[in-house]
Amino acid sequence: MFSRLKGCRVRRQDMSNEVRNVIIIGSGPAGYTAGLYTARAMLNPLMFAGYMSGGQLMLTSDVENFPGYPQGIGGPEMMMDLRAQAERFGLEIQDRNVGSVDFSQRPFKVESEGEEFYADAVIICTGAEAIWLGVEGEEAQKGRGISTCATCDGAFFRDEEIIVIGGGDSAMEEATFLTRFASKVTVIHRRDVFRASKVMYERAANHPKIEIQTFRSVKKWLSDDNGLTGAILEDPRDGSEHEISCTGAFIAIGHKPITQFLEGQVETDDEGYLIHSEHTMTNVAGVFAAGDVVDTRYRQAITAAGQGCAAAIDAERWLEDNLH
Ligand SMILES: Cc1cc2nc3c(=O)[nH]c(=O)nc-3n(C[C@H](O)[C@H](O)[C@H](O)COP(=O)(O)OP(=O)(O)OC[C@H]3O[C@@H](n4cnc5c(N)ncnc54)[C@H](O)[C@@H]3O)c2cc1C
């Protein structure tokens, strides 16, 4: 009831530049959930969905671990549902990218395709991109035989042979996790030195289902009509080639948060992830962040959605306390 009173709280900077209560940047699970909550709170939110409207789940066929779908659901279908639910309560969506922002004064300025938009609060939900290898045959198998998320897709490969690419903690963790499902896991690493911590490396290396192959990089993925069948590996020392069979592959060579367009405007860690200063608020009062753009640990749709909810509630309370 209380939040309904805020519906009329859109103020105007001048006749042409409406100042929104909230602008949401990004339309993955975090963005749509923030959109749903701020729309239901009558904050008149505007979302910039970006060119990849729907976010990372648009790249996957089956989501089996988002609560509420007992039979699982296609990623794109789920994202359409989230969008429709938020739109039902009045979320306004622009399917375009934000090019730059100016958070140096309020109202905050958000620029998209040369146009300027203003808001008293901004929620950043621009996610992170998994880094792929970019080798031949990869595009066709993305989200099918080749994945970047063992928690998400490991269970699809029961009793199958899987390879994991990478030499850091993530690769070791994913390989160890995948032994629950796979008959065999082979870790492929291009050097014989590992970035992984000793304890993580040893846990993987000592596991009876895991084999570690060093001085190997993927040159090409192999597949047939049924999906992934293997890969051609190359020894970077002499260029010799070796074929490996597998029906699943997990690339664990890192993620890149999408924060380049925010450079100099809001605090990030060394890798570019946004940092929460107080609850979901960044170091800039009135600028909030949710989902994979701040999350170096969980990277799941449900955790992103949960943070989107938290950011919306934090933004609502912050506006209540700080807007005249
Ligand atoms: C192949 C694959 C399968 C997965 N499977 C599962 C699964 O089964 N279960 C699960 O829980 N998780 C899964 N995940 C992980 C899950 O997709 C992410 O954790 C989740 O999507 C993160 O949500 P997000 O809202 O933070 O960001 P994202 O989903 O990454 O969305 C980011 C949004 O920001 C927008 N954007 C970026 N830059 C700009 C800009 N400058 N201006 C405007 N908009 C911008 C993009 O268009 C996009 O809409 C999977 C991921 C991948 C890649």
Side-chain angles (χ1 to χ4, degrees):
M1 264 311 148
F2 162 72
S3 57
R4 285 205 177 161
L5 298 173
K6 295 184 209 158
C8 55
R9 223 208 225 163
V10 175
R11 60 189 171 87
R12 292 192 173 264
Q13 191 181 42
D14 60 36
M15 290 307 281
S16 59
N17 287 330
E18 183 184 2
V19 177
R20 297 284 183 145
N21 291 304
V22 186
I23 285 179
I24 298 162
I25 310 177
S27 60
Y32 283 143
T33 307
L36 171 65
Y37 273 73
T38 50
R40 286 196 77 244
M42 307 287 277
L43 288 175
N44 191 30
L46 170 65
M47 169 183 281
F48 288 93
Y51 296 132
M52 207 174 112
S53 169
Q56 294 173 60
L57 285 182
M58 301 301 277
L59 300 174
T60 195
S61 46
D62 295 298
V63 180
E64 292 189 329
N65 55 8
F66 198 91
Y69 297 102
Q71 307 307 322
I73 184 163
E77 206 182 333
M78 184 176 122
M79 297 316 298
M80 300 294 186
D81 281 352
L82 294 193
R83 180 174 176 130
Q85 191 177 358
E87 281 183 317
R88 186 182 142 216
F89 293 100
L91 175 67
E92 188 184 328
I93 302 177
Q94 300 259 353
D95 282 308
R96 50 174 158 158
N97 259 19
V98 168
S100 63
V101 297
D102 182 354
F103 293 157
S104 61
Q105 57 180 17
R106 287 216 318 268
F108 301 124
K109 187 161 84 182
V110 169
E111 175 276 320
S112 174
E113 298 177 0
E115 266 187 88
E116 292 173 359
F117 299 82
Y118 294 87
D120 286 306
V122 173
I123 305 177
I124 303 166
C125 306
T126 45
E129 287 173 316
I131 301 172
W132 296 80
L133 297 174
V135 301
E136 191 182 332
E138 192 164 274
E139 213 48 50
Q141 290 299 319
K142 271 187 187 176
R144 294 183 174 82
I146 308 175
S147 170
T148 53
C149 176
T151 311
C152 313
D153 297 328
F156 295 119
F157 298 93
R158 282 177 204 278
D159 299 321
E160 296 183 34
E161 294 200 1
I162 292 176
I163 66 174
V164 173
I165 320 298
D169 276 345
S170 302
M172 299 306 136
E173 196 174 315
E174 302 238 316
T176 307
F177 174 77
L178 287 165
T179 58
R180 296 176 193 199
F181 315 103
S183 56
K184 181 180 179 190
V185 179
T186 307
V187 176
I188 305 293
H189 186 41
R190 64 199 154 114
R191 301 184 293 155
D192 65 348
V193 178
F194 289 81
R195 262 187 303 109
S197 57
K198 193 164 180 284
V199 58
M200 296 290 287
Y201 171 79
E202 282 179 355
R203 192 175 300 157
N206 294 329
H207 196 288
K209 278 192 185 176
I210 297 180
E211 180 192 340
I212 296 185
Q213 291 191 12
T214 53
F215 294 116
R216 298 278 185 270
S217 56
V218 176
K219 185 170 182 194
K220 179 183 174 182
W221 296 108
L222 304 173
S223 56
D224 63 17
D225 291 347
N226 295 321
L228 191 72
T229 56
I232 304 289
L233 306 179
E234 187 177 58
D235 186 329
R237 294 170 300 184
D238 57 13
S240 58
E241 293 185 0
H242 310 261
E243 190 171 331
I244 186 166
S245 297
C246 62
T247 47
F250 288 81
I251 300 172
I253 56 173
H255 284 77
K256 200 170 90 195
I258 303 176
T259 52
Q260 296 76 6
F261 72 105
L262 300 167
E263 207 178 334
Q265 298 289 329
V266 58
E267 195 185 348
T268 66
D269 69 10
D270 290 345
E271 290 178 52
Y273 284 92
L274 298 181
I275 298 170
H276 286 153
S277 290
E278 189 188 327
H279 302 294
T280 58
M281 194 155 77
T282 65
N283 67 312
V284 182
V287 176
F288 302 81
D292 283 14
V293 74
V294 276
D295 184 358
T296 56
R297 187 174 172 84
Y298 302 108
R299 295 194 190 104
Q300 293 295 289
I302 188 67
T303 49
Q307 272 195 359
C309 157
I313 292 173
D314 289 342
E316 187 192 346
R317 289 183 184 162
W318 184 86
L319 285 166
E320 183 61 34
D321 292 343
N322 290 279
L323 208 66
H324 37 90

